[in-house]
Structures are given as C-alpha cells and as structure tokens.
Amino acid sequence: MLKNVTLAPDSSLAHEPRLYRLVAGRIEELIRAEGIGAGERLPPEREMATRMAVSRASLREALIALELRGVVDVRGGSGVYVSRVQPPRAEFDEGGPGPFEVLAARRLVEAEVCASAARMASDSAIEAIRRAVVDMERQHDNYSSNEQLDRNFHLAIARATGNSAMAGAVDHLWKQRGRLWHKLKEHFQTEELRQATLLDHRRILDAIVARDPAGAHAAMRAHLERVTRTFSRG
C-alpha cells in the first residue's frame, strides 16, 4: 500500500525555479519509505502525481532527472524501476528551467512571433520558412538532423518578423533545451508525434503564406500544446 507523501500543489510552488528537484527528492523519500529495492517498480506515474499533489508534467521531469542521476530506470510501456546502479551518481542540476517551463514560454512567445511573421514577412523570408519545412520533410528519417532542422524552421519564422529582438528571444528559448529535454524527448517522442509535427509545420507555413496572423498564432500554439500533452502524458 502506497503511503501518502505530502507535497504542496504546483501552484503554491510557482516561485520555485526548479520544481523538478523538489519532486525528485520526494520520489527518493518514497523509495526509502516504501523499501523499494533495486530492480523493483515504482507505483504508476498517475498514482504518484496524485499522492504528491503535482502535475504529471512535474513528476515526469523529476523522474527524468533521477534517471540521469542513475537512481531510476524509465522503461517505456513498462514503468519506472529503481536502478541497479548503486550508489547513484552526483546530484543532477542543469541550473536552468525544466522542459515544461520552456514549452510554456514557447507557447506564449512563439505564437505571437508567428502572428507577427504572418503580418510582416517578405517574400524571401516566407521562402526561407518554406525551405525549412521541405528540408524537414526530405530528411524525416535522418534522426540526427531532425533537431537542427526543427530549430531552423522556428528561427526562420522569428527572423521573418524583421525584429532581431524577437529572433533573439526564440533562439534563447531553444538554447534552454538541456539534458532533461533531450532525455524526455528520447523516451516519449514517437513516430506518430514526428509525423504530426510535419503536418503542424505545414499548417503554420500555410497560415503565414495566407497572411493570416490569427491563423498563424493558433497553428503555432496548437503545435506546442500538442507536444506538451504528448510529453506530459506519454
């Protein structure tokens, strides 16, 4: 029987810059309190999130941080297990925002940037966005290039605004994607998500070509909301 592990709700901890560290500590407390040994499975994520009164996204960031430290092993379709690596490696701390914080910021910033691009983009800027989409489609199966090509697409939109500060803001947000982000993506990005991303990018491009700021804003926000849902729910 899983014991209650008290943790204040996410909303009361909004000031905490790295909430995943606090949640990770509670998970380690749970492992000790329940005597869960190496190779044994933790309770389901939904159950742990409910008991700790945190979102699935916050719990998932914490689990990925613990995996990077060697404390747990996240196995897709099976669950989360206490690692056989003992003792765990040194404490993990990127010193920056977690993946879902970055996604939340991108939803706000990039949706507005996309709307601005639909209003301001020159023909040559639209062509650069189009080329970025075509490059992603042509190299879809080249996993090693996907990350850079995705970044090229989003930065091409930012540059299309003609505002270097906006382009710099988007570039900065992309640079916040550290080890936690990449480990999360490794676990939960599926072929279905990758195909959906290509369709999303086409919709965004179409709205910009149509000079439809509201449509571009909605398309970019829908794209990033879908990525967030996928990564938080698995």
Side-chain angles (χ1 to χ4, degrees):
M1 183 67 180
L2 178 63
K3 299 177 183 177
N4 286 334
V5 180
T6 303
L7 183 66
D10 283 347
S11 59
S12 68
L13 293 169
H15 63 283
E16 170 58 50
R18 287 179 292 278
L19 177 58
Y20 71 84
R21 293 187 61 188
L22 180 60
V23 180
R26 297 299 188 269
I27 295 171
E28 290 187 284
E29 288 177 14
L30 168 67
I31 292 170
R32 290 191 294 270
E34 295 294 322
I36 304 172
E40 295 181 342
R41 189 168 63 182
L42 290 173
E45 287 186 30
R46 186 180 302 277
E47 184 178 352
M48 285 194 288
T50 298
R51 297 280 180 166
M52 296 181 182
V54 297
S55 68
R56 289 285 295 279
S58 295
L59 182 78
R60 185 152 288 179
E61 283 182 336
L63 289 170
I64 295 300
L66 288 174
E67 183 175 38
L68 287 168
R69 284 181 51 204
V71 176
V72 302
D73 181 18
V74 179
R75 304 177 191 174
S78 177
V80 182
Y81 295 78
V82 175
S83 176
R84 294 186 182 279
V85 177
Q86 296 294 336
R89 291 188 287 274
E91 183 172 354
F92 176 80
D93 180 14
E94 285 197 312
F100 293 101
E101 288 181 283
V102 174
L103 279 168
R106 288 184 61 201
R107 284 197 304 273
L108 292 173
V109 174
E110 291 199 52
E112 292 294 336
V113 166
C114 200
S116 179
R119 287 190 295 267
M120 305 298 296
S122 64
D123 290 344
S124 61
I126 290 176
E127 182 56 32
I129 299 169
R130 193 193 310 276
R131 284 197 305 271
V133 171
V134 171
D135 285 346
M136 283 199 75
E137 292 171 342
R138 287 176 175 169
Q139 300 189 51
H140 176 71
D141 294 329
N142 184 357
Y143 294 172
S144 64
S145 68
N146 286 170
E147 177 84 5
Q148 184 60 49
L149 293 174
D150 192 11
R151 180 176 180 273
N152 290 348
F153 169 75
H154 287 269
L155 286 179
I157 293 172
R159 294 185 184 112
T161 66
N163 186 318
S164 61
M166 284 189 183
V170 172
D171 184 46
H172 176 72
L173 285 170
W174 273 73
K175 288 176 180 176
Q176 301 300 301
R177 293 153 50 116
R179 290 175 61 201
L180 274 176
W181 166 268
H182 292 292
K183 193 66 175 178
L184 184 70
K185 183 177 177 182
E186 176 185 319
H187 278 301
F188 303 109
Q189 175 156 274
T190 63
E191 177 60 22
E192 180 182 5
L193 175 64
R194 296 173 69 245
Q195 291 287 351
T197 294
L198 294 180
L199 291 175
D200 285 352
H201 285 187
R202 271 287 168 185
R203 292 188 187 103
I204 293 166
L205 171 63
D206 289 346
I208 293 173
V209 170
R211 305 291 185 180
D212 178 4
H217 185 286
M220 179 62 79
R221 187 171 181 87
H223 167 52
L224 294 171
E225 284 176 345
R226 186 181 50 72
V227 172
T228 301
R229 286 195 304 273
T230 300
F231 284 179
S232 61
R233 295 176 186 173

